[in-house]
Amino acid sequence: LGISPWRRKLTTTSNMQRKLNIKGPRPSSARNPKTPNNQGTSKGVVAQKKPNQVKAEANSTNQIYIENLDFALTQADVAALFDKFGGTKVCKQLKTSRWTRGKKGARAIVEMNDISRTDEAISGINGLEVGGRAIRAMRKRVNPNKPPPHERKRKGNVAGNEQKDRRGGNTVKIEKAHDQHHRGGSQHQHQHQHQHQHQHQHQRQYQPQHQQNVHQPHRQQHHHHHGGSHQNLKSRKMNGIEPAWYPPGAEANNKRGKQHLFADEFDPSFHVPARIARVPNELIVAVNDFHFAMMNDLPRNEFYRSALLDVISEDTTIVEIGLGSGLLSMISAQLGAKHVTGIEASRPLARLAQKNINTNGFQEQIKVVNAMSTAVKPGQLKHGPVDVLLSEILGTLLLSENALEFNADAKRLMKAGGHVIPRLGTQFVTLIESDKLDLITSARKWRGLDFRNFNQLKDTASLLFTKELGCRLCTLDPSNITERLPVLEVDFGKDDAGMLPPVVKLRTRAQKDGTVHAAVFSWEVYSGLDKKHKMSTHYEDTVENFQRDMQWGQGIQILEDPDLKDRKDAPCPLRVKKGEELLVEVRIAQEGAVMQCHVSRVPGNDGSLREVQSGDNIGEAVASSSNSATEGTI
């Protein structure tokens, strides 16, 4: 797996949904289409093409470009949207790369039967909400300088080959997986990773290079099965999945194109030390953002040491996915493990880990493999399948770094009945009140000046991270309005990816009168099924652990009252009374890497809409009543 990186932002939407898209042979009915009377084409009868089979004009502005479609819609569903405008003669769904899926959703190109009704169709379709997503439609833009497809030349990956050649002189011996670029299992990443939830998040959150503002509709639930449901059992045991996300600096991900180097971030006249000038920028940023804090989070290190001490004997073999600095593998060797294989996707990190291992004298016990864990096969392990699967691929959210997906896949490398560390994890959400948090997330009045209209731009949709806000939550005098609510409970030793619900609905009661300023996301992990050792990111538990707040911290989503309305277009504070029943909906996307919280009053409590009084402090306005709890949007 690779280094534990910052990770994508957690808003409703997301940019990299993963959906397995394995295509088998078409059925005979598709290869040999029948006429409407279900008979084959008779001799002398010209078969009529179906409207959607008509070839589209190249570079035509008469075509309609559609984006932000629900991924569950089929091509026929999309075409049906235009029936009332005279139907379509062309309707073609477009492939969507994993880097743009959250921002644009599913996409399609449509051409009307009557091109004179193109503008009418665009007006009628634009903004139409289908499957919880507002469709965006526009005329297709045409590049007059772009040659037609048959005239375009195919270019080989010259840069990639040159890069491979340049790696040949490495002096540190690190095994590299031979099939690193050819992993089993096809995977259609449905929208996810990177979200128009602006992706300015650090906190061990991954952002792809130059992809920082992306809108993602809660990476719709994707049914993503490891290795592919069409692979035979033997193949699934041997071959890993095609990962939906690559950590920063992963060599296996060079298909994204030329890497952006750290030196590229600086003016040419500035000095950049040679040791880091040609290192991928995203890797330097990730290491300096959280790796140092992570390695110095001493309670974290003790958690792993205690968990390993319970399972290690002189015959124990271990695989660590996401080697990083090599710390956890060296702890394992220090405790007497027979052999440890540390898998690291980033070549610079793998080199540094090897140096750390050599410095501490563990080179005979620890073998470093530079690859994605999904590319490693059991036969590459010195002693075959191992006794312990070890990882620390946790983010600000429990599953921010795809821990469920990578652990589920890596069980191929483990003996039946082996240990997975950590074994269990629980993602929580808590509704809090904090006047200090409100001071840095909203506009108020001052000396008779009212600038609360600025609250119209208040973001109550994105899940931010405490480090993004430049603060530690425990220093903002937070007070819990509700109890801590469990959203997900994960067993990393048993659960598979693709099984998470798209929405979790929880009912709770306010424990006191107050204003719900935010939803706070934090987690707990446990060493084993007995929960003997625990590690958490609850703000109550990090008061004396500055390092943990600097590497993980907590997720924060600012909230508003969805039931209030007023004449102004600004959010209203969510004020509650003690004992008032609340409905908390958490939308889940990207295998739990992306979440969004929506809070409303349970009907029957105080479900009626009410006018905001002029004395209301923060935004004298409210979201439209159309944003109901069942929609799960704000």
Side-chain angles (χ1 to χ4, degrees):
L1 171 118
I3 70 172
S4 327
W6 346 343
R7 200 51 188 173
R8 33 222 194 250
K9 180 113 138 277
L10 324 171
T11 217
T12 6
T13 36
S14 75
N15 221 359
M16 204 179 92
Q17 269 172 275
R18 305 174 219 107
K19 188 190 284 183
L20 200 60
N21 186 23
I22 297 178
K23 296 182 178 179
R26 292 183 296 165
S28 58
S29 58
R31 292 193 296 270
N32 302 297
K34 304 293 184 181
T35 54
N37 63 3
N38 204 34
Q39 300 298 318
T41 303
S42 302
K43 184 176 180 180
V45 178
V46 179
Q48 298 296 315
K49 289 187 176 181
K50 296 180 181 179
N52 290 346
Q53 292 176 323
V54 177
K55 187 175 181 180
E57 294 179 46
N59 290 344
S60 172
T61 56
N62 292 325
Q63 294 176 353
I64 302 174
Y65 172 74
I66 312 168
E67 64 183 18
N68 206 35
L69 292 166
D70 187 345
F71 283 89
L73 295 179
T74 64
Q75 189 162 292
D77 294 332
V78 176
L81 297 174
F82 294 83
D83 286 348
K84 59 184 177 182
F85 305 107
T88 65
K89 69 176 180 180
V90 174
C91 181
K92 179 181 179 182
Q93 287 182 307
L94 303 177
K95 291 183 179 179
T96 307
S97 75
R98 74 165 182 264
W99 302 117
T100 60
R101 298 203 75 164
K103 183 166 75 172
K104 298 182 178 179
R107 303 176 298 153
I109 291 290
V110 167
E111 187 169 337
M112 306 300 297
N113 281 325
D114 182 359
I115 61 175
S116 66
R117 302 189 67 180
T118 299
D119 290 333
E120 178 188 355
I122 291 174
S123 299
I125 294 297
N126 202 22
L128 179 68
E129 187 164 331
V130 178
R133 305 183 69 144
I135 296 174
R136 295 189 290 271
M138 65 200 80
R139 279 187 180 269
K140 180 182 174 183
R141 298 188 186 98
V142 173
N143 180 357
N145 298 320
K146 186 176 182 179
H150 66 276
E151 293 182 12
R152 297 176 202 159
K153 294 181 180 179
R154 297 179 61 87
K155 296 181 180 180
N157 187 6
V158 178
N161 294 333
E162 290 175 352
Q163 189 173 7
K164 292 177 188 176
D165 294 338
R166 287 197 299 270
R167 296 193 197 116
N170 180 26
T171 56
V172 179
K173 184 178 179 181
I174 301 173
E175 178 166 321
K176 192 165 176 120
H178 298 296
D179 58 348
Q180 174 170 323
H181 301 279
H182 306 282
R183 288 168 294 282
S186 167
Q187 184 149 320
H188 190 322
Q189 336 238 195
H190 77 258
Q191 115 192 75
H192 241 18
Q193 185 161 18
H194 312 299
Q195 347 98 266
H196 178 141
Q197 17 169 243
H198 26 258
Q199 212 116 311
H200 47 349
Q201 91 234 7
H202 297 54
Q203 256 78 359
R204 307 196 55 178
Q205 294 252 225
Y206 170 61
Q207 323 176 256
Q209 206 68 46
H210 307 306
Q211 286 258 337
Q212 307 216 343
N213 252 346
V214 270
H215 213 115
Q216 41 168 171
H218 113 155
R219 170 166 151 175
Q220 290 133 265
Q221 183 54 13
H222 41 301
H223 304 288
H224 157 66
H225 305 286
H226 278 74
S229 57
H230 294 264
Q231 290 182 334
N232 60 49
L233 183 59
K234 182 178 180 181
S235 176
R236 292 180 62 184
K237 286 182 178 180
M238 296 298 293
N239 299 319
I241 60 168
E242 173 74 18
W245 163 80
Y246 291 88
E251 298 291 310
N253 198 27
N254 63 10
K255 61 186 176 184
R256 284 166 50 189
K258 183 179 178 181
Q259 288 185 314
H260 189 67
L261 303 179
F262 186 58
D264 297 337
E265 293 290 301
F266 295 84
D267 185 274
S269 65
F270 284 19
H271 170 71
V272 180
R275 59 186 167 79
I276 53 176
R278 300 196 60 77
V279 176
N281 177 66
E282 60 182 355
L283 178 57
I284 295 293
V285 172
V287 168
N288 287 271
D289 182 62
F290 69 83
H291 262 269
F292 294 123
M294 174 183 67
M295 290 184 285
N296 290 300
D297 182 347
L298 304 185
R300 164 194 173 272
N301 300 345
E302 289 296 337
F303 166 80
Y304 275 97
R305 189 180 189 281
S306 299
L308 288 164
L309 190 59
D310 289 344
V311 299
I312 284 180
S313 68
E314 61 182 10
D315 296 321
T316 301
T317 55
I318 298 175
V319 158
E320 181 187 359
I321 56 175
L323 180 65
S325 66
L327 177 59
L328 300 187
S329 287
M330 289 190 289
I331 291 174
S332 302
Q334 190 180 55
L335 293 175
K338 179 179 180 179
H339 191 265
V340 183
T341 301
I343 304 173
E344 174 54 56
S346 166
R347 191 159 186 79
L349 274 187
R351 288 172 178 167
L352 290 176
Q354 186 68 67
K355 289 181 179 180
N356 284 338
I357 290 165
N358 294 348
T359 298
N360 288 277
F362 295 123
Q363 59 268 31
E364 297 302 320
Q365 283 176 272
I366 303 174
K367 173 183 173 182
V368 178
V369 176
N370 175 213
M372 292 289 291
S373 61
T374 54
V376 177
K377 298 180 180 180
Q380 293 176 255
L381 307 180
K382 184 175 181 179
H383 298 282
V386 298
D387 302 298
V388 179
L389 174 59
L390 174 65
S391 68
E392 198 279 71
I393 44 179
L394 307 168
T396 303
L397 293 184
L398 177 68
L399 303 179
S400 281
E401 294 181 17
N402 285 37
L404 182 58
E405 179 183 54
F406 284 116
N407 274 285
D409 171 75
K411 284 183 285 188
R412 298 175 295 108
L413 310 176
M414 190 176 66
K415 295 176 182 176
H419 300 279
V420 177
I421 299 176
R423 177 61 190 264
L424 303 176
T426 304
Q427 176 69 63
F428 293 92
V429 65
T430 311
L431 305 186
I432 69 158
E433 179 177 37
S434 171
D435 288 334
K436 289 184 177 179
L437 176 63
D438 186 58
L439 282 172
I440 61 174
T441 57
S442 64
R444 298 187 174 190
K445 293 181 179 179
W446 178 77
R447 290 186 178 271
L449 301 176
D450 188 346
F451 37 89
R452 291 178 295 176
N453 285 324
F454 216 71
N455 287 320
Q456 292 180 22
L457 300 179
K458 184 172 182 175
D459 183 359
T460 57
S462 299
L463 180 55
L464 308 175
F465 300 91
T466 48
K467 195 169 178 179
E468 288 182 83
L469 294 173
C471 64
R472 298 178 66 201
L473 183 57
C474 62
T475 66
L476 300 182
D477 301 332
S479 174
N480 291 351
I481 293 288
T482 66
E483 61 183 335
R484 199 178 291 141
L485 305 171
V487 177
L488 294 175
E489 294 183 341
V490 178
D491 184 339
F492 292 113
K494 183 176 69 174
D495 294 342
D496 268 327
M499 305 304 291
L500 300 182
V503 181
V504 173
K505 298 183 179 182
L506 306 163
R507 288 198 178 198
T508 187
R509 292 188 181 275
Q511 297 179 337
K512 64 171 189 173
D513 293 354
T515 300
V516 179
H517 288 122
V520 173
F521 289 80
S522 58
W523 49 256
E524 297 175 357
V525 293
Y526 312 94
S527 58
L529 294 173
D530 58 0
K531 298 187 177 182
K532 181 179 178 181
H533 306 292
K534 182 183 85 170
M535 177 169 63
S536 87
T537 60
H538 306 318
Y539 72 84
E540 301 94 332
D541 297 342
T542 64
V543 175
E544 302 299 328
N545 193 339
F546 176 73
Q547 300 93 310
R548 185 161 300 175
D549 277 344
M550 291 299 100
Q551 59 140 333
W552 281 319
Q554 299 80 33
I556 294 182
Q557 183 184 330
I558 308 302
L559 297 176
E560 64 178 283
D561 192 327
D563 296 327
L564 293 182
K565 68 175 181 178
D566 194 19
R567 57 192 177 278
K568 295 181 181 178
D569 187 20
C572 286
L574 177 57
R575 295 192 175 96
V576 297
K577 298 289 186 181
K578 182 178 180 179
E580 187 172 4
E581 191 172 9
L582 303 172
L583 176 64
V584 180
E585 291 185 69
V586 178
R587 299 255 171 162
I588 301 171
Q590 299 185 26
E591 289 295 347
V594 178
M595 294 188 181
Q596 186 194 54
C597 182
H598 177 270
V599 180
S600 59
R601 296 175 177 84
V602 174
N605 257 335
D606 187 12
S608 59
L609 296 177
R610 43 196 171 86
E611 295 292 326
V612 181
Q613 303 302 314
S614 59
D616 272 354
N617 191 4
I618 299 190
E620 301 178 337
V622 72
S624 164
S625 61
S626 64
N627 292 331
S628 63
T630 55
E631 291 175 322
T633 57
I634 294 180

